[in-house]
Amino acid sequence: EAQVTQNPRYLITVTGKKLTVTCSQNMNHEYMSWYRQDPGLGLRQIYYSMNVEVTDKGDVPEGYKVSRKEKRNFPLILESPSPNQTSLYFCASSRTVSNQPQHFGDGTRLSIL
Amino acid sequence: DAKTTQPNSMESNEEEPVHLPCNHSTISGTDYIHWYRQLPSQGPEYVIHGLTSNVNNRMASLAIAEDRKSSTLILHRATLRDAAVYYCILKPYRDDKIIFGKGTRLHILP
């Protein structure tokens, strides 16, 4: 089954403790992206990747890092999480042509205390 | 970056058609128009997309204005399960930065 898998689905942690949210897709998609969703603000893009070893900033990249060492994986890294990064996070993937739809994961709810 | 404008919310009666508008006056010639929806407690899901011509699929129809500065998502017969937030986005040709607006929250009345 074609899918985008995020882990963990839920995480409560404390300020400053490094964490990684993993994202994996099994569709051989070139394009992958991370979004955060906050009440009243909709979906905002954090980082995206057009292909292996190619990443770029979205609208709200501050406080986040990503890597794309393999085509299928696109982890989101919070080196020193802060409470303002408490949010619902979605990973998405698609083929790298503009008429291809994005496939989204089920989301990761992060709470930073 | 080309952006879209949608009404914050809309209401419709069950089993009636719904027309969800989207304005994108700064669209470029190579931007595709995509619609997604997000059901409660789920990730966004793809609905439909188009470039210039109107499009139909099993979920909905997309009507694109001749000047491409606006589009309308049409749900032909709304059900309670169509209650969701609907997002209209422009997908650049090179698939780089994508901007989601705040979407339209669609309420379906039984």
Side-chain angles (χ1 to χ4, degrees):
Chain A
E1 181 190 350
Q3 58 185 6
V4 177
T5 304
Q6 297 178 226
N7 280 297
R9 293 292 314 281
Y10 304 91
L11 178 64
I12 300 174
T13 188
V14 296
T15 299
K17 186 177 180 182
K18 180 180 178 180
L19 68 91
T20 299
V21 184
T22 63
C23 175
S24 180
Q25 50 93 5
N26 63 359
M27 294 167 279
N28 202 35
H29 285 165
E30 298 90 359
Y31 182 93
M32 296 186 75
S33 182
W34 276 103
Y35 297 87
R36 62 178 287 174
Q37 186 170 38
D38 302 289
L41 295 176
L43 281 154
R44 294 179 294 169
Q45 194 174 39
I46 303 171
Y47 269 95
Y48 62 93
S49 169
M50 301 283 282
N51 214 324
V52 176
E53 301 293 0
V54 180
T55 63
D56 212 340
K57 297 177 180 178
D59 282 328
V60 288
E62 295 77 20
Y64 304 94
K65 284 175 58 176
V66 292
S67 70
R68 188 88 183 275
K69 293 185 170 58
E70 307 164 281
K71 200 172 190 179
R72 64 181 292 126
N73 295 322
F74 190 45
L76 179 69
I77 304 155
L78 285 71
E79 294 270 4
S80 183
S82 63
N84 65 11
Q85 293 176 298
T86 292
S87 188
L88 179 59
Y89 292 85
F90 290 101
C91 180
S93 75
S94 70
R95 290 185 57 206
T96 312
V97 287
S98 57
N99 63 344
Q100 295 301 308
Q102 290 191 79
H103 298 256
F104 283 81
D106 289 330
T108 295
R109 188 168 291 282
L110 284 183
S111 294
I112 316 294
L113 305 177
Chain B
D1 297 325
K3 295 193 176 182
T4 62
T5 304
Q6 301 176 253
N8 288 335
S9 67
M10 291 182 63
E11 250 180 27
S12 181
N13 294 319
E14 196 177 9
E15 299 188 4
E16 289 187 358
V18 181
H19 291 238
L20 295 158
C22 180
N23 287 320
H24 29 77
S25 58
T26 58
I27 190 171
S28 75
T30 54
D31 285 344
Y32 277 79
I33 302 159
H34 284 240
W35 283 82
Y36 288 78
R37 72 179 186 180
Q38 188 172 19
L39 302 169
S41 302
Q42 293 188 26
E45 67 171 338
Y46 166 80
V47 177
I48 200 167
H49 75 274
L51 183 62
T52 56
S53 304
N54 295 344
V55 184
N56 300 299
N57 67 19
R58 63 173 180 81
M59 289 180 72
S61 296
L62 176 60
I64 301 173
E66 198 168 329
D67 64 4
R68 300 214 325 129
K69 295 188 177 187
S70 66
S71 61
T72 303
L73 179 71
I74 302 164
L75 307 179
H76 295 287
R77 198 160 168 264
T79 70
L80 295 176
R81 287 173 296 187
D82 291 322
V85 178
Y86 287 78
Y87 296 97
C88 166
I89 69 168
L90 301 181
K91 206 151 183 275
Y93 178 72
R94 288 189 65 251
D95 242 4
D96 47 19
K97 189 184 294 188
I98 296 171
I99 299 175
F100 274 79
K102 296 182 183 178
T104 296
R105 184 171 296 277
L106 177 64
H107 302 273
I108 305 296
L109 305 175

